[in-house]
Amino acid sequence: MVTTVSDDYAAIAPWYDRFLEPIDRPLRAKALELCPAVPGQSVLDVGCGTGSHLAEYVDRGAVGTGLDRSPAMLETARRRLAGRASLVLGDATSLPFDSDGFDMVVASLFLHELTPEVRSASLGEMVRVVRPTGTIVVIDYRNGPMRWRGHAWRALSTGIERIAGSDHYRQYRAYLSSGGLPPALPAGLEVSVEKPVSGGNLAIWLLTRTDERTTGKD
Ligand SMILES: C[S@@+](CC[C@H](N)C(=O)[O-])C[C@H]1O[C@@H](n2cnc3c(N)ncnc32)[C@H](O)[C@@H]1O
């Protein structure tokens, strides 16, 4: 059952892609370079938004599933993917999927906007649903040294996050000041690749499971 919450993205959804695609497209291209799509692999995009990232994998033959709690963002994803992926209205803290079911789990520009509790629960769920030999791909803001270009991107990002609303902005600031992704990683996950992008404002992380949970599926 999906608990009804107000849709924070209702007003943003219609213009989200037009405004953010110039920033997001190069990030996705870099993520695909680091972790290429494989035809037939199962990919779950958590906080899939308008489905632009998921579409990159589906276009290359992956079997795509997207989950988001915003009906407005999912509506755009449905138009984009038009029956080519399974799109689910739901909450990342309680993924309605079996354990060990996905070859790849993607979370793009999603984790920074969550409270620490929701971030921790969402990461825990991502670990649960990815296969033991699978990969979790995270694209998000990075806390670390930046080039001058990174500082310029950080100023722009901060403006965008501020426009997104006071709660959103508060979580963004708290996420960065707590160290970003690495300290938020739950037990059972390790960083196999960290690739700073946008001058260090953001990074792409490839995360793998460390535990020995086996299911006989691998
Ligand atoms: C900044 S957007 C990023 C969308 C997309 N991943 C991208 O890269 O363009 C964050 C998305 O996360 C979704 N979201 C936030 N909290 C969520 C939660 N607890 N469960 C599922 N989706 C959530 C929002 O509705 C929104 O669509």
Side-chain angles (χ1 to χ4, degrees):
M1 191 184 86
V2 176
T3 310
T4 306
V5 288
S6 68
D7 187 347
D8 299 340
Y9 278 82
I12 301 171
W15 55 263
Y16 186 91
D17 283 338
R18 208 171 317 153
F19 190 51
L20 289 173
E21 268 302 279
I23 298 171
D24 291 350
R25 198 178 298 116
L27 296 176
R28 294 200 304 268
K30 187 61 79 182
L32 276 160
E33 259 174 57
L34 289 174
C35 197
V38 177
Q41 72 178 164
S42 50
V43 176
L44 169 67
D45 188 343
V46 180
C48 66
T50 62
S52 51
H53 199 109
L54 186 61
E56 301 276 4
Y57 289 91
V58 171
D59 289 348
R60 289 165 175 78
V63 179
T65 303
L67 176 133
D68 203 285
R69 71 170 188 174
S70 160
M73 294 291 263
L74 268 189
E75 188 49 41
T76 305
R78 286 204 175 94
R79 282 199 298 273
R80 165 173 279 122
L81 284 152
R84 296 187 301 131
S86 163
L87 295 168
V88 179
L89 182 65
D91 197 290
T93 60
S94 175
L95 294 175
F97 307 117
D98 290 342
S99 300
D100 305 330
F102 292 95
D103 298 309
M104 189 187 298
V105 175
V106 176
S108 166
L109 300 172
F110 162 67
L111 292 169
H112 71 270
E113 70 174 57
L114 310 176
T115 63
E117 296 74 26
V118 171
R119 186 179 309 123
S120 166
S122 302
L123 280 163
E125 280 292 85
M126 288 160 62
V127 179
R128 180 181 68 76
V129 302
V130 74
R131 290 167 68 113
T133 54
T135 305
I136 298 175
V137 181
V138 173
I139 304 175
D140 224 306
Y141 295 109
R142 170 176 169 273
N143 178 330
M146 291 187 282
R147 295 162 181 262
W148 69 265
R149 224 161 35 87
H151 289 285
W153 280 114
R154 179 61 53 88
L156 178 64
S157 304
T158 300
I160 292 171
E161 298 297 335
R162 200 188 279 269
I163 291 168
S166 55
D167 284 348
H168 196 112
Y169 185 61
R170 189 176 321 115
Q171 301 315 339
Y172 160 77
R173 294 298 299 259
Y175 164 83
L176 275 177
S177 61
S178 70
L181 180 69
L185 289 180
L189 259 193
E190 67 184 5
V191 175
S192 58
V193 174
E194 177 180 342
K195 172 76 181 163
V197 289
S198 300
N201 178 39
L202 294 137
I204 301 167
W205 288 271
L206 304 188
L207 310 173
T208 45
R209 279 175 45 171
T210 56
D211 65 312
E212 298 299 318
R213 186 159 45 126
T214 51
T215 63
K217 287 189 276 183
D218 292 295

